[in-house]
């Protein structure tokens, strides 16, 4: 709160990020809410939380004219191909459907990883089209994504899907 109220370095704005807002003690949250009633014009306060129930909290509702809620979740998997096409177009490249499917299978819906992969492909592929073979030879699998998929498949008792993921992990493709 002291940082939010003070002048920034060289009279610039202060950007204050409070991670795990939902885990703070009630008295600390109360201090932040009291500050938010009359915030400094030179400060931006970001409250990070994974608890969506806080948006229905009375204190948040009273500050609704002063706050903006932003959902920072990864987009659903069915929207990812459009992002990948757009990433490729920004780099003046086209990308095949099979290449997109391979990227999604290897990297999931993490837009940062996908953008970096398309950047890498764009730099190393000389032709205008990115093909599945290019993805297979240049882009490695995000092991964490595959493990989450394996866990989901096992939880759903999807033997075929689980075996496919295990095979991909074993062959590192």
């Amino acid at each position: 709160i002291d940082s939010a109220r003070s002048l920034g370095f060289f009279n610039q704005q202060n950007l204050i990020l409070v991670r795990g807002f939902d885990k703070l003690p009630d008295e600390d949250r109360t201090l932040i809410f009291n500050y938010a009633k009359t915030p400094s014009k030179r400060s931006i306060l970001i409250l990070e939380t994974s608890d969506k129930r806080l948006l229905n909290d009375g204190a948040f509702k009273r500050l609704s004219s002063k706050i903006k809620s932003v959902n920072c979740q990864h987009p659903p998997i069915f929207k990812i191909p459009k992002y990948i096409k757009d990433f490729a177009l920004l780099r003046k490249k086209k990308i095949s459907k099979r290449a997109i499917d391979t990227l999604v299978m290897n990297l999931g819906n993490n837009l940062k990883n996908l953008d970096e992969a398309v950047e890498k492909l764009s730099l190393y592929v000389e032709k205008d089209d990115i093909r599945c073979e290019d993805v297979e030879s240049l882009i490695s699998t995000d092991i964490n994504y595959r493990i989450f998929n394996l866990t989901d498949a096992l939880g759903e008792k999807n033997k075929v899907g689980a075996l496919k993921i295990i095979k991909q992990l074993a062959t590192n493709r």
Side-chain angles (χ1 to χ4, degrees):
I1 301 303
D2 290 338
S3 296
R5 287 194 174 119
S6 66
L7 287 175
F9 194 61
F10 294 118
N11 266 347
Q12 298 293 320
Q13 283 190 314
N14 293 323
L15 176 66
I16 297 134
L17 170 63
V18 179
R19 291 188 183 271
F21 178 76
D22 52 312
K23 294 173 180 64
L24 289 177
D26 287 340
E27 63 263 12
D28 290 346
R29 285 198 277 185
T30 301
L31 282 172
I32 291 171
F33 282 132
N34 287 337
Y35 162 78
K37 290 176 187 173
T38 55
S40 167
K41 289 181 170 70
R42 295 189 179 270
S43 294
I44 298 169
L45 178 63
I46 299 173
L47 306 176
E48 180 270 332
T49 181
S50 58
D51 188 351
K52 294 179 184 177
R53 294 174 297 169
L54 281 176
L55 295 175
N56 296 323
D57 181 86
F60 269 107
K61 286 184 175 181
R62 285 190 297 278
L63 296 171
S64 63
S65 65
K66 298 179 189 243
I67 66 172
K68 181 177 181 181
S69 173
V70 178
N71 182 352
C72 297
Q73 300 288 335
H74 292 295
I77 217 78
F78 71 88
K79 290 186 177 182
I80 296 301
K82 169 105 172 73
Y83 283 100
I84 294 172
K85 284 180 189 174
D86 291 345
F87 292 153
L89 285 173
L90 284 172
R91 294 166 176 94
K92 298 178 177 39
K93 299 280 185 178
K94 292 180 184 172
I95 186 164
S96 75
K97 180 172 178 2
R98 282 189 57 224
I100 290 172
D101 292 343
T102 304
L103 277 172
V104 172
M105 187 173 64
N106 288 350
L107 301 176
N109 63 347
N110 185 316
L111 294 179
K112 178 182 177 288
N113 291 348
L114 289 165
D115 185 44
E116 289 172 356
V118 173
E119 174 76 19
K120 182 178 180 180
L121 288 161
S122 298
L123 291 172
Y124 287 100
V125 174
E126 292 179 2
K127 55 197 174 306
D128 290 336
D129 293 347
I130 299 170
R131 299 172 305 153
C132 181
E133 297 79 27
D134 302 322
V135 174
E136 288 172 344
S137 65
L138 289 172
I139 306 301
S140 62
T141 300
D142 180 349
I143 192 82
N144 292 326
Y145 176 70
R146 289 284 175 82
I147 290 171
F148 284 123
N149 283 352
L150 177 60
T151 306
D152 288 345
L154 291 171
E156 295 166 0
K157 297 183 183 222
N158 178 354
K159 293 176 188 174
V160 174
L163 288 171
K164 182 179 176 184
I165 295 166
I166 290 169
K167 181 181 176 186
Q168 290 168 343
L169 286 169
T171 60
N172 196 23
R173 294 181 12 175

